[in-house]
Amino acid sequence: MLWLAAYIGSVLAINYAFSLAPHLDLVWSCWAGLIFILRDMVQVRYGHWSLAAMLAATVLSFLLADPFVATASVTAFAVSELIDWGVFTVTRRPLRDRLWISAALSVPVDTALFFGMLGIWDPAVWAASLASKLVGVSAVWMLMRARSARPATA
């Protein structure tokens, strides 16, 4: 239940925060990278019921955020989350690899749809958003890899 609450809560909070303080887009982009990981952890725990969590987070986000931001966010979120879900579902690699591969494919789509719909074409904003999300996912991947490489202690 913790992953589910963290996932839906983070989606709601980030959309609300972006509506209140869009000038902090880099901060929110870093946080957004975590959402992709949280969604994957919800799928690990609840399987395909993660789609219901995605739908709930999408609807609640649309209701709570600024309508202009919400439309861009919901569109980008829905498309990228479905890509993430599909890749995560089909790929049979270790969890850490599935987290990274699914994010590597869905994060660029999320960034392009969101900023494109908002009319933000500044390459620096796009690059910072992509980098912050992928760095976050990569950091989790490296931590999980290092953890699995440690010898088991008896």
Side-chain angles (χ1 to χ4, degrees), residues 83-152:
I83 291 169
D84 190 73
W85 173 82
V87 171
F88 192 81
T89 299
V90 171
T91 306
R92 296 292 173 216
R93 299 192 47 86
L95 175 60
R96 69 176 185 266
D97 293 345
R98 287 186 288 157
L99 290 172
W100 199 92
I101 293 166
S102 64
L105 294 174
S106 60
V107 163
V109 172
D110 178 78
T111 301
L113 284 172
F114 182 70
F115 288 125
M117 289 180 73
L118 291 178
I120 299 171
W121 302 105
D122 182 350
V125 171
W126 283 51
S129 179
L130 280 169
S132 64
K133 291 174 189 174
L134 292 175
V135 164
V137 170
S138 296
V140 170
W141 179 84
M142 287 188 295
L143 288 170
M144 291 177 83
R145 185 170 181 237
R147 187 172 151 202
S148 67
R150 285 191 310 211

Side-chain angles (χ1 to χ4, degrees), residues 5 9 11 16 25 34 45 52-53 60 63 66 74 82-83 85 91 113 118 124 135 143-144 152:
V11 170
Y16 188 69
D25 59 346
L34 175 64
R45 176 67 177 95
L60 289 170
L63 295 173
D66 173 86
V74 166
L82 285 173
I83 291 169
W85 173 82
T91 306
L113 284 172
L118 291 178
V135 164
L143 288 170
M144 291 177 83

Side-chain angles (χ1 to χ4, degrees), residues 18-88:
F18 200 98
S19 294
L20 290 178
H23 61 284
L24 296 175
D25 59 346
L26 183 56
V27 173
W28 310 143
S29 292
C30 292
W31 190 355
L34 175 64
I35 291 172
F36 287 89
I37 294 169
L38 291 171
R39 201 230 35 93
D40 289 339
M41 299 313 294
V42 168
Q43 187 170 346
V44 167
R45 176 67 177 95
Y46 297 105
H48 295 305
W49 284 101
S50 63
L51 290 170
M54 290 165 51
L55 179 61
T58 300
V59 170
L60 289 170
S61 291
F62 190 78
L63 295 173
L64 295 175
D66 173 86
F68 183 63
V69 171
T71 301
S73 177
V74 166
T75 302
F77 177 75
V79 172
S80 65
E81 286 290 288
L82 285 173
I83 291 169
D84 190 73
W85 173 82
V87 171
F88 192 81

